[in-house]
Amino acid sequence: LSTELHGPILTTNLFLRICDQLDDALIQDLATHCVEWIALQAGQELFKPDCLVDRSWNITSGSLAYTPKELMLSEVVNAQGGGPARQLSVLALDKHAIDLAPRTWLCELALWCHWETVGEAEVLAPSELLTLHRHEMVQVMNFHPEVARIMQDYSRTLCNIVYLSQP
């Protein structure tokens, strides 16, 4: 049942879909051992800026707003020397939010690198998300050595790109 429920969501990730074509049992194992559902209500935050995350989320229903850190009103106020900023809601004050719809992956790089969030995600409407946990995914890969080598190369390449793109 978990494969039928989680598999189609996991394969919306292009890299996981490619890996699934190389190893038919991979998505079944990921769906069984590495995911969990979370339900969030409007106004809740999924994450804030500068948080270390070890998972990725796929929005399956509802909607969220994502605001990059540099566009958050609190960051703009601080950058302009306005002193310490109060915590400000994306919904109330920030017009730089990006609406995210179902089938969107959040923090996908957290599956492949040590990832710190670079923005804020706030729930706009009641939402359900499928969470894919990196640590459990690494454990599952012990049973899929051929795909594990490909994932390791992919991870190393992405981490190098992220490192080289930092100012």
Side-chain angles (χ1 to χ4, degrees):
L1 180 62
S2 60
T3 303
E4 290 81 20
L5 188 61
H6 305 136
I9 298 166
L10 291 171
T11 55
T12 63
N13 177 290
L14 180 60
F15 186 71
L16 292 180
R17 186 167 55 244
I18 292 168
C19 290
D20 180 50
Q21 293 174 358
L22 301 172
D23 183 336
D24 293 337
L26 176 66
I27 293 298
Q28 178 179 351
D29 287 346
L30 292 175
T32 304
H33 302 290
C34 305
V35 300
E36 72 174 317
W37 287 97
I38 59 171
L40 300 171
Q41 297 303 312
Q44 283 186 281
E45 287 181 336
L46 180 61
F47 56 80
K48 293 180 177 279
D50 305 317
C51 293
L52 191 62
V53 294
D54 62 353
R55 62 200 69 192
S56 182
W57 296 274
N58 182 277
I59 303 168
T60 59
S61 67
S63 64
L64 284 79
Y66 175 75
T67 305
K69 180 179 173 180
E70 67 273 4
L71 298 179
M72 292 178 66
L73 188 55
S74 59
E75 293 294 319
V76 172
V77 169
N78 283 337
Q80 294 176 352
R86 296 175 287 134
Q87 285 295 82
L88 303 170
S89 169
V90 170
L91 293 173
L93 296 172
D94 195 346
K95 302 303 182 210
H96 298 288
I98 301 164
D99 289 341
L100 304 173
R103 298 180 59 106
T104 302
W105 283 92
L106 295 162
C107 297
E108 184 180 348
L109 285 173
L111 298 175
W112 315 109
C113 308
H114 291 283
W115 185 249
E116 196 170 285
T117 57
V118 292
E120 174 180 80
E122 187 173 349
V123 180
L124 297 175
S127 301
E128 288 188 345
L129 290 81
L130 184 72
T131 307
L132 178 57
H133 296 275
R134 178 180 66 221
H135 298 295
E136 287 83 351
M137 189 171 85
V138 169
Q139 295 302 313
V140 163
M141 295 318 299
N142 289 324
F143 301 103
H144 304 273
E146 297 81 18
V147 176
R149 284 190 290 278
I150 294 167
M151 283 189 170
Q152 187 175 29
D153 288 344
Y154 182 73
S155 175
R156 187 177 299 116
T157 300
L158 277 178
C159 291
N160 286 336
I161 291 169
V162 169
Y163 176 76
L164 293 172
S165 69
Q166 295 177 356

